[in-house]
Amino acid sequence: MRTQVGIVGAGPAGLMLSHMLHLKGIESIVLELRSRDYVEKRVRAGVLEHGAMDLINAVGIGDRMMREGMAHHGVNLRFDGETHRIDFEQLTGRGIVVYGQQEVVKDLIAARLEAGGQILFESSEVRLRDIDAKSPTIHFRHNGEDLLLHCDMIAGCDGFHGVCRPSIPDGVLRIHEHTFPFGWLGILAEAEPSSEELIYASHDRGFALHSMRSPTIVRNYIQCEPDEDINEWPDNRIWEELQRRMETREGFRLNEGRILEKGVTPMRGFVAEPMQYGNLYLAGDSAHIVPPTGAKGMNLALKDIKILADAMITRYETGGTDKLEDYSRRCVLGVWRAQHFSWWMTSMLHRFNQHDVYQRQLQLSQLRYVTGSEAAARSLAENYVGMLWDL
Ligand code: FAD
Ligand code: DHB
């Protein structure tokens, strides 16, 4: 088999790249380990920055997002039993859209298949060969057959646990990593949202987040141990803990409902640099992950693709490779901004077991400052709605 760009992974990054290349007449084939049903149902992130929303609209797949996505103009920080709103619109002139990652994935898959695009679901044993040669190849297994895909370039969009990053020879990548001593237990439940906008709560018992997916579906998270056993969390324990961490002096109650899904995510920051080796370009979670506080993961993946698609298109249209050579440098600037913001939000809002009372007071003072000073609130707002899309 032969194509121009071989793409490993049908998450937001791989699918968006395939779609953007197609719009310029460039062929690609996407190899995905899982089934279509699995990737369309995988519940993950839910917040799109303004720039991500603009990109989705610009490439012609934004209709459903504009209809069903929930436009939010701010977020709430809750501590000491009180709620403080950060008004994004007033502070930055921008907002965010709450629209599930799997909905973005569904819209992209539909657009690719409608245009005759090839996504080979359930492709296993993917191995990259000759990535530093002129024509790299991808070996894989599909429908019981061993196949070989020749291409000009490979996009490694196969997430943190994929095979592309480990295909780069030892000693090439610089790895920067930080593991947080906690995780998030996330649920999706059938209930009406209890607030118009998200609530990030810092409580002595630990962090909690109230988010949503639609007028009838909520997504809530609670800080837990990184290796928490989900079996020790029957539904009533989850609701009880959420209610305690979300409590206010005014007697706030979260709407409860049937839990449709639950899972534990560990929290880490990770950056592999450079995001390129030979003709292999890493994008999204395969190159970097952030702790989820601040909802940057999917946005960063889409931002990488905006830069990568532009560089690949320039190569095919003009033969120029300057943008490809500059790809990693351009992405990494935004990656570190997002790392810092996510680390900062995580550190300000979570309970650290080793903290003493002094350190808890520092967190509370920071929260009061961020919600009390317009300059500090604007800094949070600017980072939350997203920057560096126009680099
Ligand atoms: P992915 O979405 O991970 O896509 C990679 C694709 O590659 C997958 O479809 C995978 O099946 C496929 N793949 C993997 N290995 C192979 C292989 N060997 N061969 C072929 N295909 C392969 N971010 C937030 O902002 N908020 C959240 O609440 C949040 N929750 C998350 C929960 C979990 C469990 C995880 C893992 C991530 C979460 N994230 C969250 C992060 C966010 O979802 C990611 O940043 C985003 O998915 C990145 O997109 P991507 O396309 O780079 O990678
Ligand atoms: C969601 C996830 C996040 O990590 C976050 O900071 C806000 C919202 C969500 O899944 O809705």
Side-chain angles (χ1 to χ4, degrees):
M1 297 167 78
R2 167 140 199 107
T3 192
Q4 290 175 294
V5 182
I7 300 175
V8 187
L15 291 165
M16 179 59 91
L17 179 64
S18 181
H19 179 68
M20 289 179 76
L21 293 175
H22 162 73
L23 295 180
K24 295 289 179 181
I26 299 163
E27 280 174 24
S28 64
I29 295 180
V30 182
L31 306 179
E32 166 59 48
L33 178 64
R34 307 285 191 166
S35 68
R36 177 175 178 184
D37 190 55
Y38 184 94
V39 298
E40 290 192 339
K41 293 203 175 126
R42 189 166 43 195
V43 180
R44 285 185 174 176
V47 172
L48 290 171
E49 294 176 359
H50 197 274
M53 183 187 82
D54 286 349
L55 176 66
I56 288 169
N57 278 324
V59 299
I61 58 147
D63 287 359
R64 202 161 67 90
M65 172 187 72
M66 296 310 281
R67 255 192 343 266
E68 296 176 17
M70 307 163 96
H72 285 193
H73 307 289
V75 283
N76 300 294
L77 299 188
R78 183 170 288 175
F79 54 93
D80 254 353
E82 281 179 5
T83 311
H84 306 258
R85 181 166 185 265
I86 308 271
D87 187 332
F88 294 159
E89 208 65 51
Q90 185 209 327
L91 292 162
T92 70
R94 292 181 169 188
I96 53 159
V97 179
V98 177
Y99 189 61
Q101 177 169 326
Q102 77 272 30
E103 306 306 326
V104 177
V105 164
K106 275 187 218 159
D107 295 342
L108 280 164
I109 290 175
R112 285 311 293 125
L113 296 182
E114 198 180 312
Q118 287 199 68
I119 309 170
L120 304 184
F121 292 103
E122 299 179 70
S123 291
S124 58
E125 297 173 36
V126 168
R127 280 153 296 141
L128 312 189
R129 294 281 182 268
D130 303 324
I131 47 180
D132 51 355
K134 192 161 177 286
S135 181
T137 53
I138 309 178
H139 297 238
F140 65 104
R141 213 174 154 70
H142 185 63
N143 281 342
E145 270 188 279
D146 287 317
L147 298 167
L148 193 57
L149 175 63
H150 297 272
C151 41
D152 301 329
M153 292 179 274
I154 299 174
C157 303
D158 52 347
F160 185 66
H161 299 288
V163 295
C164 291
R165 193 183 65 250
S167 306
I168 296 177
D170 288 350
V172 172
L173 297 178
R174 294 183 299 281
I175 305 288
H176 312 277
E177 190 168 17
H178 180 76
T179 306
F180 291 86
F182 35 73
W184 276 13
L185 191 163
I187 62 161
L188 193 71
E190 262 173 352
E192 242 179 74
S194 310
S195 158
E196 279 181 17
E197 294 167 338
L198 274 54
I199 306 170
Y200 288 82
S202 173
H203 191 275
D204 288 343
R205 295 179 64 85
F207 170 76
L209 170 60
H210 173 50
S211 180
M212 58 214 66
R213 287 293 179 270
S214 76
T216 54
I217 302 284
V218 295
R219 177 99 168 122
N220 297 322
Y221 299 93
I222 27 184
Q223 176 184 352
C224 61
E225 294 303 317
D227 53 355
E228 191 79 52
D229 180 1
I230 195 80
N231 296 315
E232 296 196 2
W233 286 85
D235 296 2
N236 60 346
R237 181 175 172 208
I238 294 177
W239 287 117
E240 212 172 283
E241 193 60 36
L242 277 164
Q243 297 290 8
R244 291 177 82 168
R245 297 189 192 185
M246 284 277 163
E247 73 194 352
T248 62
R249 293 213 188 105
E250 288 163 359
F252 173 89
R253 293 291 295 170
L254 263 184
N255 296 330
E256 299 185 11
R258 191 162 69 94
I259 295 185
L260 305 170
E261 192 167 316
K262 49 184 159 180
V264 172
T265 317
M267 309 240 315
R268 68 159 84 73
F270 177 94
V271 181
E273 291 180 64
M275 291 166 58
Q276 178 243 337
Y277 176 73
N279 281 310
L280 168 64
Y281 297 86
L282 302 178
D285 277 20
S286 77
H288 44 71
I289 47 179
V290 286
T293 333
K296 292 289 160 221
M298 172 172 47
N299 292 291
L300 268 185
L302 294 174
K303 202 178 296 180
D304 288 351
I305 293 306
K306 188 177 176 205
I307 297 172
L308 184 58
D310 174 50
M312 287 183 166
I313 291 164
T314 303
R315 171 181 158 173
Y316 284 112
E317 288 183 345
T318 70
T321 56
D322 290 4
K323 283 186 175 172
L324 281 171
E325 281 152 28
D326 204 26
Y327 165 68
S328 180
R329 190 196 64 81
R330 286 175 77 199
C331 290
V332 162
L333 292 175
V335 168
W336 278 109
R337 177 86 305 275
Q339 290 290 342
H340 178 268
F341 177 65
S342 308
W343 163 83
W344 177 75
M345 287 282 281
T346 303
S347 307
M348 176 170 71
L349 289 160
H350 287 71
R351 180 192 139 101
F352 289 75
N353 286 338
Q354 76 272 23
H355 271 187
D356 53 24
V357 180
Y358 175 86
Q359 284 159 311
R360 178 65 183 144
Q361 288 303 328
L362 290 181
Q363 281 184 322
L364 290 169
S365 172
Q366 176 79 61
L367 282 162
R368 271 182 232 115
Y369 179 54
V370 141
T371 51
S373 146
E374 186 175 316
R378 179 167 292 119
S379 167
L380 187 153
E382 200 167 83
N383 279 280
Y384 201 104
V385 300
M387 306 191 303
L388 305 176
W389 276 93
D390 302 317
L391 267 183

